Each structure stands twice: as structure tokens, then as C-alpha cells.
Amino acid sequence: MRSTPFFKFFILFFSLLLFFNCKNEKKDNSNDKIEVSFKKEGILNLKKANTDSIIKTLDIEFAEDEHETQTGLMYRNKLGTNQGMLFIFPNTQMRSFYMKNTKIPLDIIYIDDELHIVSFQKNAKPFDETSLPSESPAKYVLEINAGLSDEWQLEIGDKIDFIKD
């Protein structure tokens, strides 16, 4: 018995339909394997507002371009106690961060164009995509390990200065 072209088409169509419907869905875990290490690019001093005394000196990594700003501390497994990331924006405005793909809890510190701390988002939870806004316009944002802003007794009005290596 000879197969007709219609019968061949039907078998091919049915086979493809069966193949795509039975195909195992695999979750994309490619981001689980990404790990980014800290790269010191400068030094940042946290200072008391009223005395200008240095509270803490940090090794700092900078986020200045769009890619660095969007990525931030995502995919990091750790951040040292005396390390942080400073985001530098071209203008001063209300800012909002979130913790997508960020594995470590953070304190997010919003800083104005005169280098004064204007607000905090403390103990930001890993992988939480909830918006974490500033309470005042900010030009800079400093991310450090969660709990350190309280441990170091940072307050609104305290200042920063930084230099690039």
C-alpha cells in the first residue's frame, strides 16, 4: 500500500505536535552559576556630620554606567565588612532600588549631591523585588552589608567622601 502525500504530512504534523507537547520544560538556572567578585576601585570615608571625624573607611567598587547601575551587587555571594558599592548618578532625584538577583542582605544608603546621607533602607532582603525608595532626592547610593549602618551608628546628615584608585 502506498502512502499519500496527505498521509505523510499528517504523520509529520502529528509527530511534531507530540514532540513539542511532551518536551520536558527545564528551569533556567543559569543565574545560579554566576558569581561576581569584589573589585576595589577606590576608598570611601563615612564621617560624622557634626565633627567630621571618620566613622569607617571602606574599599569601594563604583557603579557609574547603565550596566553597572542595573547589575549592582547582583550575583555576589559575599561582601566584606569594610567593602561597599557606590552608585554615582548624573543627577539628583528620588531613587528606588530593589534586590532582584541579590543574594546578600544589604543596607542601602541614599546620599545627596553635597555628600550628606539623606535616607536609609536597612536590612533589604535578598531576592526581594519590592521597591526600596529614598525619602529625599539622592545623587549617590551606597550599598553595604545589612546591619552595618546601625552598628556604625550612621545617621541622616552624616557625610561621605571618596577617591578613585
Side-chain angles (χ1 to χ4, degrees):
M1 182 185 216
R2 281 183 80 176
S3 302
T4 65
F6 176 77
F7 183 72
K8 287 181 182 177
F9 174 77
F10 177 77
I11 295 297
L12 178 62
F13 176 77
F14 183 76
S15 298
L16 287 172
L17 185 64
L18 187 62
F19 172 78
F20 285 111
N21 282 337
C22 293
K23 186 178 176 186
N24 289 334
E25 291 294 321
K26 291 185 178 178
K27 184 180 175 217
D28 180 11
N29 290 327
S30 59
N31 287 342
D32 292 345
K33 295 177 181 123
I34 297 172
E35 183 178 341
V36 181
S37 298
F38 182 82
K39 179 183 168 197
K40 181 184 174 195
E41 298 174 321
I43 296 173
L44 181 139
N45 291 310
L46 291 158
K47 298 179 173 185
K48 272 311 207 194
N50 52 354
T51 64
D52 230 19
S53 61
I54 295 176
I55 302 165
K56 190 57 86 173
T57 299
L58 304 175
D59 291 337
I60 206 77
E61 191 170 336
F62 293 98
E64 298 179 89
D65 64 30
E66 187 174 340
H67 174 72
E68 292 169 340
T69 299
Q70 292 297 320
T71 307
L73 291 174
M74 291 179 176
Y75 313 114
R76 310 288 178 111
N77 290 324
K78 63 183 177 190
L79 182 65
T81 300
N82 294 322
Q83 295 177 335
M85 178 171 277
L86 184 66
F87 295 77
I88 302 174
F89 294 97
N91 57 8
T92 302
Q93 66 182 40
M94 299 301 285
R95 304 271 172 217
S96 186
F97 276 48
Y98 63 94
M99 298 288 289
K100 180 178 181 178
N101 295 322
T102 306
K103 300 175 182 182
I104 51 179
L106 298 172
D107 285 348
I108 301 169
I109 304 169
Y110 295 98
I111 302 160
D112 68 14
D113 57 351
E114 295 180 3
L115 304 175
H116 292 93
I117 295 173
V118 295
S119 69
F120 297 91
Q121 287 287 347
K122 297 179 182 180
N123 297 304
K125 294 175 181 55
F127 302 104
D128 188 352
E129 295 187 35
T130 303
S131 178
L132 303 167
S134 60
E135 294 177 12
S136 296
K139 179 176 172 93
Y140 305 92
V141 178
L142 176 63
E143 291 183 337
I144 58 177
N145 282 310
L148 292 179
S149 60
D150 284 340
E151 182 180 322
W152 297 338
Q153 300 176 3
L154 298 177
E155 300 174 328
I156 291 182
D158 286 344
K159 300 181 268 186
I160 67 163
D161 65 31
F162 61 91
I163 55 170
K164 294 182 179 183
D165 285 344

